[in-house]
Coordinates of all heavy atoms in Angstrom, one line a residue:
G527 N 3.4 -2.2 7.9 CA 4.6 -1.8 7.3 C 4.6 -1.6 5.9 O 3.7 -1.5 5.2
G528 N 5.9 -1.4 5.3 CA 6.0 -1.1 3.8 C 5.5 0.4 3.6 O 5.7 1.2 4.5
T529 N 5.0 0.7 2.4 CA 4.7 2.0 2.0 C 3.3 2.1 1.6 O 3.0 2.7 0.4 CB 5.7 2.5 0.8 OG1 5.6 1.5 -0.3 CG2 7.2 2.5 1.3
P530 N 2.3 1.8 2.3 CA 0.8 1.9 1.9 C 0.5 3.4 2.0 O 1.1 4.2 2.8 CB 0.2 1.1 2.9 CG 0.9 1.1 4.2 CD 2.4 1.1 3.7
Q531 N -0.4 3.8 1.2 CA -0.9 5.2 1.3 C -2.3 5.2 1.0 O -2.9 4.7 0.1 CB 0.0 5.9 0.1 CG -0.4 7.5 0.1 CD 0.5 8.2 -0.9 OE1 1.7 7.9 -0.9 NE2 -0.2 9.0 -1.7
G532 N -3.0 6.0 2.0 CA -4.4 6.2 1.9 C -4.8 7.2 0.8 O -4.0 7.8 0.2
P533 N -6.1 7.4 0.6 CA -6.7 8.2 -0.6 C -6.3 9.7 -0.4 O -6.3 10.4 -1.4 CB -8.1 7.9 -0.6 CG -8.5 7.5 0.9 CD -7.2 6.6 1.3
R534 N -6.0 10.1 0.9 CA -5.6 11.4 1.1 C -4.2 11.7 1.4 O -3.8 12.7 2.0 CB -6.5 12.1 2.3 CG -7.9 12.1 1.9 CD -8.8 12.4 3.2 NE -10.3 12.3 2.9 CZ -10.9 11.2 2.8 NH1 -10.3 10.1 2.9 NH2 -12.2 11.2 2.5
G535 N -3.4 10.6 1.1 CA -2.0 10.7 1.4 C -1.5 10.3 2.7 O -0.3 10.4 3.2
E536 N -2.4 9.6 3.4 CA -2.1 9.0 4.8 C -1.1 8.1 4.6 O -1.1 7.0 3.8 CB -3.4 8.6 5.4 CG -4.5 9.5 5.6 CD -5.5 9.4 4.5 OE1 -5.1 8.9 3.5 OE2 -6.7 10.0 4.7
T537 N -0.1 8.1 5.5 CA 0.9 7.0 5.6 C 1.3 6.5 7.0 O 0.8 7.3 8.0 CB 2.4 7.6 4.9 OG1 2.6 8.8 5.8 CG2 2.2 7.9 3.6
L538 N 1.9 5.5 7.0 CA 2.1 4.8 8.4 C 3.0 5.7 9.2 O 4.0 6.3 8.6 CB 2.6 3.5 8.3 CG 1.8 2.4 7.6 CD1 2.5 1.1 7.6 CD2 0.4 2.3 8.4
G539 N 2.7 5.9 10.5 CA 3.5 6.7 11.3 C 3.0 8.2 11.3 O 3.3 8.9 12.1
M540 N 1.9 8.6 10.5 CA 1.3 9.8 10.5 C 0.7 10.1 11.9 O 0.0 9.2 12.4 CB 0.4 10.0 9.4 CG -0.4 11.3 9.4 SD -1.5 11.4 8.0 CE -0.3 11.9 6.6
R541 N 0.8 11.3 12.4 CA 0.2 11.7 13.7 C -1.4 11.7 13.4 O -1.8 12.2 12.3 CB 0.7 12.8 14.3 CG 2.1 12.8 14.6 CD 2.5 14.1 15.3 NE 1.8 14.4 16.4 CZ 1.9 15.5 17.2 NH1 2.8 16.4 16.8 NH2 1.2 15.8 18.2
W542 N -2.2 11.4 14.4 CA -3.7 11.5 14.4 C -4.0 12.9 14.2 O -4.9 13.2 13.3 CB -4.3 10.9 15.7 CG -5.8 11.0 15.6 CD1 -6.5 9.8 15.3 CD2 -6.7 11.9 16.1 NE1 -7.9 10.1 15.4 CE2 -8.1 11.3 15.9 CE3 -6.6 13.3 16.4 CZ2 -9.2 12.2 16.1 CZ3 -7.7 14.0 16.7 CH2 -8.9 13.5 16.5
A543 N -3.3 13.9 14.8 CA -3.6 15.3 14.5 C -3.4 15.8 13.1 O -3.9 16.8 12.8 CB -2.7 16.1 15.6
N544 N -2.7 15.2 12.4 CA -2.3 15.4 11.0 C -3.1 14.7 9.9 O -3.0 15.0 8.8 CB -0.8 15.4 10.6 CG 0.1 16.2 11.5 OD1 -0.5 17.3 12.0 ND2 1.3 15.8 11.8
A545 N -3.9 13.7 10.5 CA -4.7 12.9 9.5 C -6.1 13.2 9.2 O -6.8 12.6 8.4 CB -4.6 11.5 9.9
D546 N -6.4 14.4 9.7 CA -7.8 15.0 9.4 C -9.0 14.0 9.8 O -9.9 13.8 8.9 CB -7.9 15.4 7.9 CG -9.1 16.3 7.7 OD1 -9.5 17.1 8.5 OD2 -9.5 16.2 6.4
M547 N -8.8 13.5 11.0 CA -9.8 12.6 11.5 C -10.8 13.3 12.4 O -10.4 14.2 13.0 CB -9.1 11.4 12.2 CG -8.2 10.5 11.5 SD -9.3 9.4 10.2 CE -7.9 8.8 9.1
D548 N -12.1 12.7 12.4 CA -12.9 13.4 13.3 C -13.2 12.5 14.5 O -13.4 11.2 14.4 CB -14.4 13.5 12.6 CG -14.5 14.5 11.4 OD1 -13.6 15.4 11.5 OD2 -15.1 14.2 10.4
Y549 N -13.1 13.0 15.7 CA -13.1 12.2 16.9 C -14.4 11.4 16.9 O -14.4 10.3 17.4 CB -12.9 13.2 18.1 CG -12.9 12.5 19.3 CD1 -11.7 11.8 19.8 CD2 -14.0 12.4 20.3 CE1 -11.8 11.2 21.1 CE2 -14.0 11.9 21.5 CZ -12.8 11.2 21.8 OH -12.7 10.6 23.1
P550 N -15.6 12.0 16.7 CA -16.8 11.2 16.7 C -16.8 9.9 15.9 O -17.6 9.0 16.1 CB -17.9 12.2 16.3 CG -17.3 13.4 16.6 CD -15.9 13.3 16.3
R551 N -15.9 9.8 14.9 CA -15.8 8.7 14.0 C -14.8 7.7 14.4 O -14.3 6.7 13.6 CB -15.6 9.1 12.5 CG -16.7 9.9 12.0 CD -16.5 10.3 10.6 NE -17.7 10.9 9.9 CZ -18.8 10.3 9.4 NH1 -18.8 8.8 9.5 NH2 -19.9 10.8 9.1
C552 N -14.3 7.7 15.6 CA -13.3 6.8 16.2 C -13.8 6.1 17.3 O -14.8 6.4 18.0 CB -12.1 7.6 16.5 SG -11.3 8.7 15.3

Side-chain angles (χ1 to χ4, degrees):
T529 56
Q531 184 171 313
R534 297 168 183 79
E536 302 94 342
T537 55
L538 297 182
M540 175 179 283
R541 296 182 57 184
W542 189 91
N544 298 330
D546 195 26
M547 296 290 164
D548 294 332
Y549 185 76
R551 294 187 173 276
C552 300

